[in-house]
């Protein structure tokens, strides 16, 4: 089979251990390695070649989306080791593409250097656990590692609802149903409603985008399921406030009560460029719920959660400031960058 021209760029990106590849007319290909953008020593891409570069990757549905919506998001396979999340979009009258490389092998908690307490979270029978952080902070990988732990250790029915499906799980002890928004379901909320009828033990919701989805996630956790999801927030306290404030004021007390009853923990993470390697270094805050924290949420005292979190260090909790201080000691990240982040942290 003849290699597509775009596959040559994929190969280069993978060889350079890039997480992302950007292709746009008038510029050479650009890759992201260790969080930094690097321009490849290639000729700039020509306006007229962009359709021929992208269209061989796209299904008829993807092409229709591109024509109607001016963008298309989909997964494509490269060789047997990589899945590639593609976003083809129109800018300044021509096509551009952004590609994220996802290995076929599902990561483990150990391989990502995540806190071991996540293994205990994977064994919980029910409740809600959130993975939060800004875009490109590794939330998908963290969720996959926790689900992988469940798959290795528990006989459960795991339903994932994603847009698009990124990691594909090979069944070990658990069985999997993987739903994709826009392909096998119209929305997160409708997929969740159906998932509750499909005898799940564990439900992974790729993102809590709106009030309806958050409401369904809380209901799923309350009704005896172990539920995982994500939000684009930094810090456990900000995450809880964000969820509550997405609802109208008259429902805040009800939502705080639901969160206090169903939430089992939050890990909030950011990825920092390493001084010495192509990999990035994760800083994280982790909150494992206890009775004091549940009371503070119910009583509108989320401003006191940070203190409760620090008091619960022996139970596996950690503040973002603690994590950044550890990274400074290891001399893995530019201390000026960490100092700037420290200034932004609201204690």
């Amino acid at each position: 089979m003849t290699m597509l021209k775009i596959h040559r760029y994929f190969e280069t990106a993978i060889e350079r251990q890039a997480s992302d590849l950007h292709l746009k007319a008038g510029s050479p290909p650009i890759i992201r390695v260790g969080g930094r953008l690097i321009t490849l020593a290639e000729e700039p891409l020509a306006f007229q070649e962009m359709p021929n570069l992208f269209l061989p990757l796209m299904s008829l549905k993807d092409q229709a989306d591109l024509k109607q919506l001016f963008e298309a998001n989909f997964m494509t396979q490269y060789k047997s080791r990589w899945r590639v999340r593609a976003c083809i979009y129109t800018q300044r009258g021509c096509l551009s593409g952004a590609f994220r490389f996802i290995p076929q092998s599902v990561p483990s908690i150990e391989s990502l250097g995540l806190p071991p307490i996540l293994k205990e979270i994977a064994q919980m029978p029910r409740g809600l656990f959130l993975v939060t952080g800004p875009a490109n902070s590794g939330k998908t990988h963290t969720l996959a590692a926790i689900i992988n732990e469940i798959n290795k250790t528990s006989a459960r029915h795991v339903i994932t609802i994603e847009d698009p499906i990124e990691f594909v799980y090979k069944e070990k002890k658990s069985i999997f149903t993987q739903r994709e928004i826009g392909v096998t379901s119209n929305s997160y909320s409708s997929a969740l409603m159906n998932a509750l009828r499909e005898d799940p033990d564990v439900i992974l919701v790729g993102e809590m985008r709106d009030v309806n989805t958050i409401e369904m996630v809380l209901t799923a956790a309350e009704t005896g399921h172990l539920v995982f999801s994500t939000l684009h927030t930094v810090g456990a306290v900000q995450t809880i406030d964000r969820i509550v404030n997405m609802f109208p004021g008259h429902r805040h007390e009800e939502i705080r009560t639901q969160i206090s009853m169903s939430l089992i923990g939050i890990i909030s993470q950011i990825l920092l460029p390493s001084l010495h390697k192509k990999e990035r270094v994760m800083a994280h805050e982790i909150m494992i719920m206890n009775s004091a924290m549940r009371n503070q949420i119910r009583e509108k005292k989320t401003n006191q959660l940070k203190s409760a979190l620090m008091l619960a260090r022996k139970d596996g909790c950690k503040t973002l400031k603690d994590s950044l201080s550890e990274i400074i000691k290891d001399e893995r990240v530019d201390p000026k960058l960490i100092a700037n982040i420290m200034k932004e942290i609201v204690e």
Side-chain angles (χ1 to χ4, degrees):
M1 183 176 176
T2 305
M3 177 181 276
L4 299 174
K5 183 176 180 180
I6 196 168
H7 285 165
R8 182 165 63 83
Y9 298 136
F10 286 1
E11 192 70 33
T12 300
I14 290 167
E15 284 176 1
R16 299 279 294 271
Q17 298 180 41
S19 60
D20 300 83
L21 166 69
H22 296 270
L23 300 173
K24 58 178 289 188
S27 299
I30 297 170
I31 58 175
R32 187 181 294 277
V33 180
R36 301 178 178 91
L37 291 175
I38 299 171
T39 302
L40 298 180
E42 299 262 358
E43 290 294 319
L45 297 163
F47 174 92
Q48 61 271 20
E49 72 174 307
M50 303 310 285
N52 290 335
L53 200 61
F54 299 140
L55 291 179
L57 298 177
M58 302 173 70
S59 68
L60 292 177
K61 177 190 178 299
D62 299 328
Q63 293 180 39
D65 285 346
L66 183 60
K67 185 175 181 180
Q68 295 168 15
L69 307 174
F70 307 105
E71 62 182 327
N73 296 284
F74 58 93
M75 298 298 296
T76 185
Q77 187 83 21
Y78 179 61
K79 296 188 174 178
S80 59
R81 291 183 54 217
W82 297 91
R83 285 167 59 77
V84 184
R85 189 179 75 197
C87 177
I88 311 300
Y89 56 94
T90 305
Q91 63 97 28
R92 296 180 61 188
C94 66
L95 294 181
S96 296
F99 303 87
R100 168 70 53 84
F101 298 96
I102 299 165
Q104 287 279 77
S105 58
V106 182
S108 66
I109 289 171
E110 295 89 349
S111 69
L112 295 180
L114 293 167
I117 199 166
L118 293 185
K119 290 190 173 187
E120 297 178 27
I121 296 297
Q123 301 308 315
M124 293 282 189
R126 65 189 65 83
L128 172 63
F129 188 82
L130 297 175
V131 180
T132 77
N136 302 325
S137 61
K139 297 186 294 294
T140 299
H141 282 66
T142 296
L143 280 174
I146 300 171
I147 298 298
N148 191 28
E149 182 69 19
I150 292 171
N151 191 22
K152 289 189 297 184
T153 58
S154 306
R156 302 202 225 180
H157 180 200
V158 181
I159 297 179
T160 75
I161 304 167
E162 302 170 78
D163 182 18
I165 292 170
E166 298 198 352
F167 286 100
V168 176
Y169 300 90
K170 294 179 181 177
E171 295 181 352
K172 296 175 183 174
K173 288 194 172 181
S174 293
I175 62 170
F176 284 81
T177 299
Q178 293 195 256
R179 306 283 298 277
E180 183 167 344
I181 304 304
V183 178
T184 59
S185 190
N186 290 327
S187 67
Y188 278 112
S189 54
S190 65
L192 255 170
M193 188 175 296
N194 287 320
L196 293 176
R197 304 180 183 125
E198 295 163 11
D199 187 33
D201 299 296
V202 180
I203 304 173
L204 183 154
V205 181
E207 186 180 345
M208 297 197 299
R209 291 181 178 173
D210 52 50
V211 167
N212 288 338
T213 303
I214 292 173
E215 199 158 20
M216 289 296 298
V217 163
L218 291 170
T219 299
E222 279 185 324
T223 52
H225 306 91
L226 181 59
V227 185
F228 297 92
S229 193
T230 72
L231 271 177
H232 292 293
T233 50
V234 178
V237 178
Q238 292 89 331
T239 298
I240 292 167
D241 288 341
R242 169 76 183 279
I243 293 172
V244 172
N245 290 331
M246 286 183 73
F247 288 83
H250 70 276
R251 296 198 60 191
H252 284 188
E253 186 173 347
E254 170 198 350
I255 299 304
R256 276 195 296 270
T257 300
Q258 281 188 287
I259 293 170
S260 70
M261 292 172 61
S262 61
L263 187 67
I264 55 177
I266 298 171
I267 183 168
S268 187
Q269 57 193 54
I270 55 176
L271 289 178
L272 307 171
S274 171
L275 283 174
H276 312 295
K277 297 180 180 179
K278 292 180 179 179
E279 294 85 5
R280 288 185 284 177
V281 176
M282 180 188 290
H284 68 270
E285 179 166 282
I286 185 161
M287 181 175 75
I288 306 300
M289 295 292 290
N290 59 29
S291 57
M293 294 172 188
R294 296 186 191 282
N295 286 334
Q296 286 165 352
I297 292 170
R298 271 195 298 269
E299 295 170 10
K300 297 172 61 175
K301 296 177 180 177
T302 52
N303 60 317
Q304 297 179 16
L305 278 173
K306 190 71 76 174
S307 298
L309 203 158
M310 289 188 283
L311 290 170
R313 286 186 178 109
K314 66 181 186 302
D315 300 321
C317 294
K318 180 185 284 188
T319 67
L320 185 56
K321 188 174 181 180
D322 288 340
S323 182
L324 290 167
S325 297
E326 291 173 4
I327 292 169
I328 283 181
K329 290 176 184 175
D330 291 345
E331 299 182 344
R332 290 180 286 166
V333 175
D334 184 348
K336 291 181 181 177
L337 174 60
I338 294 181
N340 289 335
I341 296 172
M342 290 274 205
K343 290 177 184 176
E344 296 174 5
I345 296 173
V346 179
E347 292 294 338

